[in-house]
Amino acid sequence: MRDISLEEVLHYREQGATLVDVRSPGEYEEFTIPGSINIPLFSNEERSEIGTIYKQVSVDRAKERGLEIASQKLPELYRQFKSLQGPIILYCWRGGMRSRTMATVMSLMGMTIYRLQGGIRSYRRFIQEQVQQEWSTPVIVLSGYTGTGKTAILQYLEEQGYPIMDIERMAGHRGSIFGHIGLHPSSQKMFDAIYVEQKQSIEKQQKPLVLMEAESRRVGKVVLPEALMEAKNKGKVLHIELPIEERVKVIMEDYSPALHEEAIRQAFERIRRRLHTPIAQELAGLLEQKHYEKVIQLMMEYYYDPRYEHAALTYEGEAVLIQAATLEEAKEQVELHVQQMLQA
């Protein structure tokens, strides 16, 4: 077993090392080093139990209880570690008892184990320092009303090899009151980590530009870094317009409302008071009858489009209008404009 710095950990990760987060599943789900797997020493319930003993009884008794629980799991933990490939780097929160226990046992079993000095807390400090670093890569921003397929266009461009930053994918949220449906929203800590690492990857590759979607400062549970907002506001804008019928089709494909009926009803109730009473009543009736296409069209006309028109999103860079009849046509036009920008 050897303790190594965060810089060494990130280097080994690039070389194919396996990072193992030995904290509880709940801690791992909230925030982890991207690319890590979770082999927890304690379950969520066991961690809570030990924490209660620590606070209400004594430190020694908490350690004893932890040893009682861990000792029963060691054979299975060993089997899990034995199946891993490449160098193994593990960590807990502060580089304390959990990672030390796991690293010591696996080392005694003949494995080469590295341990992150300071635990994931050191990685969090690194991310906090990096998250406000200014952008050096020029930004192209895709803007447009709800349903213009901005995310689908980004994904298409990514498949063609263009560098993108999919903010909604990183946030696990589409940015609207219905945006969480069918997704798993990210915590602020996890978003910051993914954002920093993706930004650094783009800059390291010296990409000539990066594409991203126009977003407000808050997307789901996360608040976008000031440096990202500034880069977007200064970027060149490609404003996409599609017929409302095409936009309805895009939303239907994105949200699959028939699979998320209860979640959609709950989200609608949260904004119902913001709509004029007759429209709200009509929408409620259409939802009950499962006429989702009409619901989407009315929501665009009476809720989303007016809000977009009055949104306080200002861009200093030039703007190009892209009018298309279909999403596929919009993809082609956007790619053509990006190519022209690269050649300019």
Side-chain angles (χ1 to χ4, degrees), residues 281-292 294-295 298:
Q281 290 177 343
E282 182 178 359
L283 284 166
L286 290 168
L287 277 173
E288 192 66 29
Q289 298 167 41
K290 303 181 181 179
H291 292 166
Y292 295 117
K294 187 62 176 177
V295 168
L298 289 176

Side-chain angles (χ1 to χ4, degrees), residues 38-306:
N38 186 213
I39 302 181
L41 183 59
F42 302 123
S43 68
N44 295 333
E45 295 75 19
E46 290 163 348
R47 174 174 175 261
S48 177
E49 177 191 352
I50 293 169
T52 300
I53 296 172
Y54 183 95
K55 293 177 181 178
Q56 298 182 2
V57 183
S58 69
V59 175
D60 287 342
R61 179 54 193 143
K63 290 180 179 179
E64 290 173 4
R65 180 54 182 149
L67 183 60
E68 291 170 1
I69 295 172
S71 61
Q72 301 174 32
K73 299 183 176 184
L74 292 180
E76 176 57 29
L77 290 171
Y78 170 67
R79 280 190 287 271
Q80 291 183 62
F81 270 84
K82 192 176 180 180
S83 68
L84 301 179
Q85 301 297 317
I88 300 171
I89 304 169
L90 54 80
Y91 59 88
C92 58
W93 171 236
R94 292 176 297 185
M97 291 291 293
R98 286 180 289 181
S99 62
R100 187 180 300 116
T101 298
M102 199 85 88
T104 299
V105 171
M106 299 309 155
S107 295
L108 289 172
M109 297 302 293
M111 297 183 186
T112 300
I113 300 290
Y114 300 99
R115 196 169 69 115
L116 170 58
Q117 291 175 347
I120 196 174
R121 189 168 62 170
S122 65
Y123 177 74
R124 174 60 179 161
R125 286 196 296 265
F126 164 76
I127 293 299
Q128 288 175 313
E129 293 171 358
Q130 296 295 316
V131 76
Q132 292 301 342
Q133 294 294 313
E134 294 183 358
W135 274 82
S136 59
T137 308
V139 171
I140 297 178
V141 181
L142 303 186
S143 73
Y145 287 157
T146 298
T148 48
K150 299 182 291 295
T151 299
I153 293 171
L154 277 182
Q155 292 171 351
Y156 166 77
L157 292 171
E158 184 177 35
E159 291 169 0
Q160 307 311 308
Y162 296 95
I164 75 159
M165 177 162 280
D166 191 337
I167 297 170
E168 293 186 357
R169 182 168 63 196
M170 291 157 56
H173 200 285
R174 301 183 189 90
S176 72
I177 195 69
F178 298 91
H180 64 287
I181 294 173
L183 301 176
H184 182 72
S186 300
S187 68
Q188 185 72 52
K189 291 179 180 179
M190 198 66 243
F191 175 87
D192 289 347
I194 298 170
Y195 163 76
V196 167
E197 297 213 351
Q198 188 166 342
K199 175 177 179 288
Q200 291 182 339
S201 175
I202 291 169
E203 292 174 340
K204 184 177 180 180
Q205 297 173 58
Q206 297 183 326
K207 297 294 186 179
L209 56 80
V210 60
L211 293 115
M212 60 184 70
E213 186 175 342
E215 301 285 356
S216 59
R217 184 172 295 276
R218 179 177 290 275
V219 180
K221 293 181 178 181
V222 307
V223 177
L224 303 188
E226 186 63 34
L228 175 59
M229 295 300 295
E230 290 180 3
K232 287 192 328 86
N233 292 343
K234 293 177 181 177
K236 295 181 179 180
V237 179
L238 300 181
H239 182 80
I240 304 158
E241 289 188 358
L242 290 180
I244 195 164
E245 297 80 10
E246 184 73 2
R247 293 165 58 200
V248 169
K249 187 191 304 182
V250 169
I251 293 296
M252 285 290 293
E253 292 178 358
D254 282 350
Y255 283 83
S256 302
L259 301 178
H260 307 286
E261 293 177 350
E262 183 58 31
I264 288 174
R265 279 194 291 268
Q266 290 176 3
F268 169 71
E269 289 301 324
R270 290 200 293 273
I271 62 168
R272 185 170 184 166
R273 66 180 182 278
R274 305 179 197 171
L275 297 162
H276 292 301
T277 302
I279 294 298
Q281 290 177 343
E282 182 178 359
L283 284 166
L286 290 168
L287 277 173
E288 192 66 29
Q289 298 167 41
K290 303 181 181 179
H291 292 166
Y292 295 117
E293 289 89 348
K294 187 62 176 177
V295 168
I296 293 168
Q297 181 177 336
L298 289 176
M299 286 293 297
M300 288 178 176
E301 292 176 356
Y302 291 97
Y303 184 73
Y304 285 110
D305 289 3

